[in-house]
Amino acid sequence: MIWYNQRMLVYPSGFEAYPRSVDSPKEYHLPYEDVELVTKDKVKLRCYLIRRDELEKARGTVIMFHGNAMNHGEAIPRAAKLFYKGFNVLTVEYRGSAAIDYILTHPVLSDLPIIIYGQSLGGGVAIHAASKNANKLSALIVENTFTSIPDLVKGLPLIRRFSWLCTQRWKSASKMAHLPTTLPILMLSGLMDEVIPFSHMENLWKVAKTRGRQKRNKGSLNEQYHPPEEDIYRTFPYGTHNSTFLQFDYWETILEFLDNAEARGTIIVFHGNSCDRGDLLEIFASQLRHHYNIFAAEYRGYGRSEGTPTEKGSYIIYFLPMYSAGYDDLELSGLCLDAQAAVDYIIYGHSLGGAVAIHVTSENGDKIDALVVENTFTSLSAVIRDFPVVGWPLSIFCTEKWPSRSKIKRIPREIPILLLGGMADKLVRPHQMRSLWRAAKNRGQIKKSWPNKSSAETEEAEDAYVSQDQFILFPDGDHRTTHEQGGYWTIIHGFLDNVIDGTPTK
């Protein structure tokens, strides 16, 4: 019986007789539309999209997975809380991947942050969906869920010896262990849960705190490990399995978490010479996607962009509002910035992209908050001169100048600069980055000012910015692998934290 009927035991609501009663958002006076999802195996799933009148102005979209003995209509009271705080909410009948695919292919919702929320069995669905789509999500919220179904059965007096018979396993703990540390996770536990002992949530929290420390399937320590910084575990002393969401401070905790999980700024990424924007986008999405918006810029003639590559053409950058109607066209040759936007803009460039980044920052210091450059050169002719025998003669005929050293001197002192280099770089030799560092340290141009500050206070503030500048060389990093070196992303995270949480640059 346990072997053949356990699906009925685990998913009782899925075996109820038709017709079934499902609450509608209409009964709660919520604006919504019916959504029908079709899975890969042609199963139709009925869902509700509780939506803002203007979808694009929502703070994000929450995909809500309900508990075991429920249907998605019973999740509407929770959904209403999030709707009134500015979110679209998709209440889903399982399965999770179909819901995420729907959001990612939606012309408007795909551009908004995606948050997954699951309670009880829905927490298991949420963790699984996050493990398959982590780089596409902005946050994960789970409430009163389990480490696995066999673990849950082991806690039941009469059938604990038969846990090995479980065919529905839901290995949430092992999946949690492989979520990226950059994905913010909120875990909510009712200490009086009579269905799933709160020890399951405690064990999941232990796994979440140490996830990513070891390399997957290798057991060795991960040199790129960056500990989770935005995860929260909150317990509610009087919360039962189905009443935790009614406890004092429950929704305040969720809303504060979502406030912190929103993008802290926008990183504009310029790639190197022998690649295109997609190469850096994948790297940055895996490391910083959950904290920042990532804009991967392309040059003329590269990737799928039109035109012919030139130094002058690569400098063409458009500073327009991010919501400009011409945004789609701009990705061919430039990027969009709004100097008045209440976000931080960070410019990042690797190799040739570092020269572009230095130029953009030197010309638009009033719109940019920080600069990160990796393995770039003082000038293109200087790179050519480093080649044996023929370097010096050929450098005379160099028409593409890229004078990064002279331009980095023109960057306002108030803009923090992080320079990252590889000692094993044979293409752009380390002395090039050292020369850029000397120029950066001695830059003196001041463009910004602080109202109501004396000249002494202004000078002290300027010195504070310069003190945020950093230059790091990685002994084993070469031209294309410096970002893989131990501590690389920890340094970037720390630098950006200081920029955004420290002295304001706007």
Side-chain angles (χ1 to χ4, degrees), residues 427-491:
L427 183 61
V428 179
R429 302 297 176 87
H431 73 84
Q432 304 264 358
M433 289 293 287
R434 291 192 182 100
S435 182
L436 282 177
W437 173 242
R438 289 192 293 270
K441 283 197 301 182
N442 296 323
R443 70 191 191 278
Q445 186 172 352
I446 305 300
K447 288 186 178 179
K448 300 180 183 178
S449 61
W450 287 267
N452 306 319
K453 284 185 180 289
S454 66
S455 58
E457 290 174 323
T458 299
E459 184 176 351
E460 182 180 351
E462 291 162 358
D463 290 339
Y465 283 105
V466 174
S467 68
Q468 292 186 54
D469 293 351
Q470 296 181 52
F471 175 42
I472 309 293
L473 282 174
F474 296 88
D476 298 322
D478 63 26
H479 194 66
R480 298 187 67 108
T481 66
T482 298
H483 72 275
E484 298 174 359
Q485 303 305 303
Y488 181 93
W489 292 104
T490 300
I491 290 168

Side-chain angles (χ1 to χ4, degrees), residues 49 117 187 228-229 312 320 405 408 413 437 446 506:
L49 176 62
Y117 175 113
M187 303 181 67
E229 294 181 345
K312 184 177 180 180
L320 298 172
R405 191 176 192 279
I408 205 169
R413 290 172 61 190
W437 173 242
I446 305 300
K506 287 187 179 178

Side-chain angles (χ1 to χ4, degrees), residues 35-39 41-47 93-95:
V35 174
E36 184 178 273
L37 308 181
V38 180
T39 66
D41 53 351
K42 309 304 180 185
V43 175
K44 293 181 180 179
L45 307 177
R46 273 79 182 186
C47 310
E93 294 294 16
Y94 307 137
R95 310 160 183 175

Side-chain angles (χ1 to χ4, degrees), residues 308-330:
T308 302
T310 64
E311 178 181 359
K312 184 177 180 180
S314 297
Y315 284 158
I316 297 177
I317 305 296
Y318 299 91
F319 290 95
L320 298 172
M322 293 292 284
Y323 48 82
S324 166
Y327 176 77
D328 290 338
D329 296 328
L330 291 176

